[in-house]
Amino acid sequence: MKVLLITSAPNLTTGYGRMGKAVAEYLSEKLGRENFEYVALTPNEYTQSFMDIQKYKIIPTRKELSDVDGRFTAAERITHFKPTIILTLGDLWQFDWIPTLSTRHTFKWTAWLPIDGAPIPSRWLSILDKIDMILSTSEWGKWVICSRERTYLKKTFVLRHGVDNKIFKPVSNKEEKIEAKLSLGFKPESYIIGCIARNQLRKNLPVLIGAFRKYLQPYIVCNNQECAITFGAGDECHICKNGKGKIFYKPPKFEHSLYLHTEAESDYGWDLNSMAKEMGISESVKIPTNIGPGIGCDDSKLAQIYRAMDVFALPTMGEGFGLPILEAMACGVPVIATDYSGHLDYAYGVSILLPIIARFREQITGMSRAIVDEDHLFQALDFLYYDKLNDAQEKHTKRLDWIERQLQALDANYSKDKDNRFGFSSLCGENLRNHMIQRAFIISNVLTIKNMNKNLFELLYFINESSGSVSSNTGVVLD
């Protein structure tokens, strides 16, 4: 078996780059250097020193040919290397040129695909037809693919990404938590809501900033269930004028921060610093200055950033897999995410999932994207922070049916009063955060880089040995 991997360059700190590097290290060891090569899709300078220290052969795409998608470099390597399998890792549109290669009949194509929306665009079907084995990064993605064309069931498997749980692991004591916060420039007592994501439309970061603004503000909850939350200070409800004893007043939070590990400004996203300034919360929002497309930090530093967080929140419009969500869980950080797309495979029942309030069809792909409410995110953030809710706040919370459903999914131990109503007072704050962390830790110890690579190798072996496209009924057992 000879494998040619085509994906983002392993020196990039993107999800594809990091997964590509992990796969390359494993396959080169299993197959030997002579049976494995890596065509690296790279937008920036690829240094010879980086290439020399790798155990596998890296072929950067050729800038002189403007070979952004790798088609020219791959065509050359297929002629010289003669792979039996081409493994692509990335979005399908990146590799729409593979069926057009004159050497297409000489290899089997395994496409490892993230599907972050539905339905599959019609123009992708002709490409999917030409793939010998489809690897979806989630069960949700497989459903999207196969619901569009049921014949794909025979050649579609689920192969999730994985986390290196030797690096991405929880803190073992309070001192390590404080050290992680200090490393980011925060005070030891800071409560940090964090997010690691690219500054692009799909990540929906303005909703996170807007929810954080409400989370910081003082607000009043009234015993009168017809009154909504009213923001601002005071000793009476701003709507019905109920006074002390019938309202809950939440003071502002002064040692709470939002840490966004992303580009502060991008052509495909937003000017996040300006947005925070316009909302009057710029002093509480921190964004590093040394982040850019494919430019971040190594895994050890990334794990330290996760461990500094008290909550990880991502109001995404859709994820193919959602690696940062899994990494946050592995680092012992409770997660708030959207109830939609690929991360539901492992996030359901271990995180708080925000309900979808609307959808829109993306202009380019026609895929459906999910929209969440910043008020729901604000409520979830508050719910995870307060260790005890008073009567007025609890009455408000009971109106939030979506939170009740989330607690049921989290399998928390409910306490009920004589009227059989849910009592939330023991299911919030630190108790709930710890409950979520314990459940998520089990999941992250299954979805590991080690298991991912083992399953990938078994699938590649079967497609290599098969006479045609592999069938999902071959009996391959995945961990």
Side-chain angles (χ1 to χ4, degrees):
M1 180 166 67
K2 298 182 74 174
V3 178
L4 179 65
L5 171 65
I6 309 175
T7 189
S8 298
N11 67 332
L12 298 180
T13 55
T14 62
Y16 293 149
R18 293 166 62 216
M19 288 299 102
K21 182 179 180 180
V23 167
E25 290 173 352
Y26 181 83
L27 290 181
S28 62
E29 183 177 338
K30 292 287 289 186
L31 300 174
R33 186 180 175 92
E34 68 279 5
N35 292 318
F36 177 80
E37 287 190 1
Y38 190 143
V39 170
L41 309 178
T42 172
N44 54 14
E45 197 63 38
Y46 215 92
T47 61
Q48 187 64 42
S49 60
F50 179 85
M51 295 169 62
D52 290 343
I53 65 172
Q54 305 307 316
K55 297 178 181 179
Y56 46 88
K57 187 172 183 179
I58 303 173
I59 302 94
T61 50
R62 295 173 57 183
K63 288 188 175 182
E64 67 272 18
L65 296 177
S66 300
D67 193 16
V68 177
D69 59 12
R71 68 178 68 201
F72 301 117
T73 307
E76 290 180 354
R77 294 318 306 162
I78 291 168
T79 300
H80 293 89
F81 180 55
K82 295 181 172 55
T84 57
I85 295 174
I86 283 187
L87 170 63
T88 57
L89 169 58
D91 296 299
L92 187 61
W93 55 265
Q94 293 178 273
F95 308 107
D96 59 0
W97 48 269
I98 288 183
T100 68
L101 293 173
S102 61
T103 52
R104 175 63 188 90
H105 63 286
T106 65
F107 60 85
K108 293 174 181 175
W109 180 15
T110 297
W112 197 0
L113 304 174
I115 302 296
D116 53 27
I120 293 290
S122 298
R123 64 180 179 276
W124 289 7
L125 298 179
S126 61
I127 307 172
L128 289 166
D129 287 341
K130 304 298 192 300
I131 300 173
D132 297 295
M133 180 166 66
I134 301 170
L135 303 180
S136 170
T137 53
S138 70
E139 285 284 356
W140 187 88
K142 179 180 178 179
W143 171 80
V144 173
I145 292 170
C146 297
S147 63
R148 191 63 192 264
E149 178 52 67
R150 291 189 61 82
T151 58
Y152 296 153
L153 277 168
K154 294 182 179 180
K155 61 178 183 180
T156 303
F157 292 82
V158 175
L159 182 65
R160 300 175 184 90
H161 290 170
V163 63
D164 187 343
N165 57 355
K166 294 180 180 178
I167 298 176
F168 295 91
K169 56 186 179 181
V171 296
S172 56
N173 51 57
K174 290 184 178 179
E175 287 71 25
E176 287 186 5
K177 190 74 172 181
I178 291 173
E179 181 183 347
K181 292 178 186 289
L182 292 173
S183 71
L184 295 181
F186 292 104
K187 296 178 181 179
E189 65 272 20
S190 296
Y191 185 90
I192 302 171
I193 296 164
C195 181
I196 296 178
R198 193 173 183 183
N199 183 358
Q200 62 178 12
L201 175 66
R202 186 165 52 83
K203 304 302 181 179
N204 211 9
L205 297 179
V207 166
L208 176 54
I209 295 176
F212 180 69
R213 176 181 64 86
K214 293 180 179 179
Y215 170 81
L216 288 179
Q217 286 182 328
Y219 70 69
I220 292 171
V221 179
C222 181
N223 261 355
N224 186 346
Q225 294 197 15
E226 294 182 2
C227 297
I229 283 181
T230 53
F231 291 94
D235 56 6
E236 69 176 15
C237 175
H238 297 170
I239 299 174
C240 73
K241 305 305 179 182
N242 268 342
K244 290 182 179 179
K246 294 186 177 181
I247 65 167
F248 166 72
Y249 170 64
K250 189 207 77 168
K253 301 184 179 78
F254 294 107
E255 295 298 340
H256 291 242
S257 298
L258 176 63
Y259 180 82
L260 301 176
H261 190 76
T262 188
E263 315 99 303
E265 185 176 354
S266 77
D267 295 335
Y268 38 80
W270 299 271
D271 183 345
L272 300 176
N273 281 326
S274 294
M275 188 178 297
K277 185 177 181 180
E278 291 166 4
M279 294 185 186
I281 57 172
S282 56
E283 291 185 0
S284 299
V285 177
K286 184 172 183 178
I287 305 172
T289 58
N290 58 342
I291 300 293
I295 303 171
C297 55
D298 62 27
D299 283 0
S300 296
K301 175 61 176 175
L302 197 61
Q304 185 79 332
I305 291 171
Y306 283 115
R307 285 192 285 268
M309 299 176 187
D310 294 284
V311 176
F312 178 93
L314 180 61
T316 178
M317 295 181 182
E319 295 293 316
F321 179 76
L323 185 60
I325 295 173
L326 179 62
E327 290 173 341
M329 289 165 50
C331 289
V333 182
V335 168
I336 303 171
T338 305
D339 192 3
Y340 181 73
S341 66
H343 58 279
L344 298 185
D345 274 23
Y346 58 88
Y348 181 82
V350 299
S351 59
I352 292 180
L353 298 174
L354 304 171
I356 302 169
I357 62 167
R359 299 171 189 259
F360 78 95
R361 286 296 185 103
E362 190 176 63
Q363 186 175 8
I364 297 175
T365 65
M367 285 181 160
S368 179
R369 299 297 185 196
I371 302 296
V372 296
D373 191 337
E374 68 177 39
D375 281 346
H376 286 155
L377 178 50
F378 147 62
Q379 291 156 359
L381 291 172
D382 242 18
F383 201 73
L384 282 173
Y385 173 64
Y386 282 104
D387 288 332
K388 186 173 178 59
L389 308 180
N390 88 336
D391 291 341
Q393 193 178 18
E394 188 172 335
K395 285 186 178 181
H396 173 74
T397 304
K398 285 174 182 173
R399 286 178 277 171
L400 307 178
D401 292 341
W402 74 272
I403 283 187
E404 182 177 317
R405 290 194 297 271
Q406 289 301 301
L407 291 175
Q408 290 171 336
L410 284 163
D411 194 28
N413 296 316
Y414 291 103
S415 60
K416 295 185 178 182
D417 61 20
K418 62 181 181 180
D419 297 320
N420 202 38
R421 294 178 304 184
F422 288 107
F424 290 102
S425 59
S426 63
L427 298 171
C428 56
E430 187 175 7
N431 287 339
L432 182 56
R433 294 199 305 270
N434 288 337
H435 182 77
M436 292 168 65
I437 289 168
Q438 291 169 7
R439 291 175 64 86
F441 186 72
I442 298 171
I443 299 295
S444 62
N445 273 283
V446 174
L447 295 179
T448 63
I449 290 285
K450 181 178 179 180
N451 287 339
M452 177 192 77
N453 281 328
K454 174 178 175 290
N455 292 333
L456 173 62
F457 186 80
E458 291 181 1
L459 287 165
L460 293 178
Y461 177 83
F462 270 92
I463 186 66
N464 188 70
E465 296 299 311
S466 65
S467 57
S469 295
V470 73
S471 170
S472 58
N473 298 319
T474 52
V476 179
V477 178
L478 304 180
D479 294 332

